[in-house]
Amino acid sequence: MAVTSAILPTELGFFASLASAGSLSAAARDLGITTAAVSKRLAQMEGRIGMPLIVRTTRRMSLTPEGEVFLAHARRILGEIDDLEQLLTSAKGRPSGLLRVNATLGFGRMHVAPVISEYSRKYPEVEVQLQLSADPPPLTEDAFDVCVRFGEPPDARIVASKLAPNRRLLCASPRYLREHGTPQTPADLARHNCIGIRQGSDAYGVWRLTPLKGAKARTESVHVRGNLTTNDGEIAVNWALQGHGIVLRAEWDIERYLRSGRLVQVLPQYATPEADIYAVYQRRHQLSSRIRLFVEFLATAFAAFGR
């Protein structure tokens, strides 16, 4: 890539943030400036480099081939700078710098945010940014330092530290079960109103159940249907509490309702696929004291899960 002048280090971070945001307006929100300021800064950068890096449309943007090359090198250089900072801060003994955390909506609000509060109180020199999303970001992107997600990622290049076991349970309100009956077998679910949750890569509308007893237990795949669907687990649980149907949800989200009796477990003699909780980060971040200590905070906080 030929350039007409030297590239400033600040431009690398700006462009990486812009590419991760996906649009000029989203980048403006992330950077705390106006969309016009983002557009002007990008135009000045492209003018200095001498070629377009981004194709702008009304609502979205995409990288040019040169932009893709620029982004790859920018992320590599920023990563090397971060590695150097980690070595220096580790030698200093106190973590500092920026820690970018991603988690799912409900779990992030209920469990990750309180951990960040305690972590920040102990290590105030670390600037923590928490972003919640319905689905985990692609592992190939370097937009976050630590992602808290369900299920071990298949990519061996990523460090996945198991934080806690996580069971998914079927449940419904006592009112719904009184009015519609209690399923006795997985096949019975096909005759019930099942609340759908569209999240991640899970096969929507298919619940897989395996008997807890039996040496040759076979997993049954049940195609379920219902008149309510959402991508937000908290909404789905509220619908179940209101007596609309049966929901399949993680134990961490419904355990308090099971204890109070507002929800009742359905088909407790069957298990669903596990979705254990992991902290996921790039291998090069193993040197980072702020990341290592944050993962330790998470593991301590989640130690009670599954007991």
Side-chain angles (χ1 to χ4, degrees):
M1 177 188 295
V3 296
T4 57
S5 59
I7 298 171
L8 300 176
T10 54
E11 291 175 333
L12 301 178
F14 166 74
F15 190 74
S17 298
L18 179 57
S20 297
S23 70
L24 299 184
S25 58
R29 288 194 298 271
D30 293 343
L31 296 170
I33 57 179
T34 65
T35 303
V38 171
S39 181
K40 180 179 179 181
R41 186 172 177 182
L42 175 61
Q44 291 173 338
M45 193 172 110
E46 290 177 325
R48 285 178 8 85
I49 292 174
M51 61 185 65
L53 300 175
I54 286 179
V55 178
R56 304 160 182 79
T57 61
T58 305
R59 304 182 67 177
R60 297 286 302 171
M61 67 181 195
S62 59
L63 300 182
T64 64
E66 294 80 10
E68 295 280 2
V69 173
F70 188 94
L71 177 62
H73 284 269
R75 284 178 170 166
R76 177 182 58 78
I77 294 169
L78 291 169
E80 291 174 353
I81 293 173
D82 186 65
D83 289 345
L84 176 59
E85 290 178 347
Q86 300 316 308
L87 290 173
L88 295 176
T89 56
S90 295
K92 188 173 61 174
R94 291 286 295 179
S96 62
L98 176 63
L99 175 63
R100 304 165 300 167
V101 182
N102 175 270
T104 56
L105 296 170
F107 192 81
R109 276 193 299 267
M110 188 180 301
H111 296 288
V112 178
V115 174
I116 289 176
S117 175
E118 293 300 315
Y119 177 87
S120 180
R121 184 173 287 111
K122 185 167 185 178
Y123 303 112
E125 295 179 21
V126 178
E127 177 191 348
V128 186
Q129 295 178 353
L130 172 63
Q131 179 172 319
L132 304 181
S133 56
D135 300 321
L139 296 175
T140 53
E141 292 187 6
D142 196 18
F144 300 99
D145 299 310
V146 179
C147 293
V148 182
R149 56 182 291 158
F150 301 102
E152 185 175 9
D155 195 331
R157 295 169 297 176
I158 304 296
V159 177
S161 177
K162 184 176 177 179
L163 301 173
N166 177 45
R167 296 190 303 161
R168 288 183 175 132
L169 305 178
L170 290 168
C171 61
S173 70
R175 172 185 169 186
Y176 176 85
L177 296 176
R178 282 196 307 270
E179 294 177 354
H180 301 277
T182 301
Q184 300 301 314
T185 68
D188 292 342
L189 292 171
R191 298 190 292 273
H192 281 266
N193 199 51
C194 296
I195 299 170
I197 304 176
R198 293 180 180 268
Q199 286 182 339
S201 58
D202 292 347
Y204 170 72
V206 178
W207 290 352
R208 295 180 174 85
L209 294 93
T210 305
L212 291 173
K213 295 182 180 180
K216 297 182 179 179
R218 290 184 55 189
T219 299
E220 297 184 49
S221 297
V222 182
H223 291 266
V224 296
R225 299 178 61 183
N227 63 349
L228 292 174
T229 304
T230 179
N231 70 337
D232 188 291
E234 185 176 347
I235 292 174
V237 171
N238 284 332
W239 284 340
L241 288 167
Q242 293 159 8
H244 288 290
I246 299 172
V247 69
L248 175 62
R249 193 62 183 154
E251 187 175 16
W252 62 262
D253 196 18
I254 59 173
E255 191 264 345
R256 62 193 186 279
Y257 300 124
L258 294 172
R259 282 202 318 267
S260 68
R262 295 185 64 192
L263 291 176
V264 177
Q265 188 176 353
V266 173
L267 296 174
Q269 68 274 33
Y270 288 85
T272 61
E274 294 181 353
D276 295 337
I277 305 166
Y278 286 84
V280 178
Y281 52 95
Q282 301 284 340
R283 288 196 175 276
R284 63 180 178 82
H285 289 326
Q286 288 177 303
L287 295 174
S288 169
S289 60
R290 65 176 178 262
I291 291 176
R292 184 182 69 255
L293 290 169
F294 179 64
V295 173
E296 290 176 2
F297 261 66
L298 289 170
T300 300
F302 300 164
F305 283 21
R307 286 183 181 174

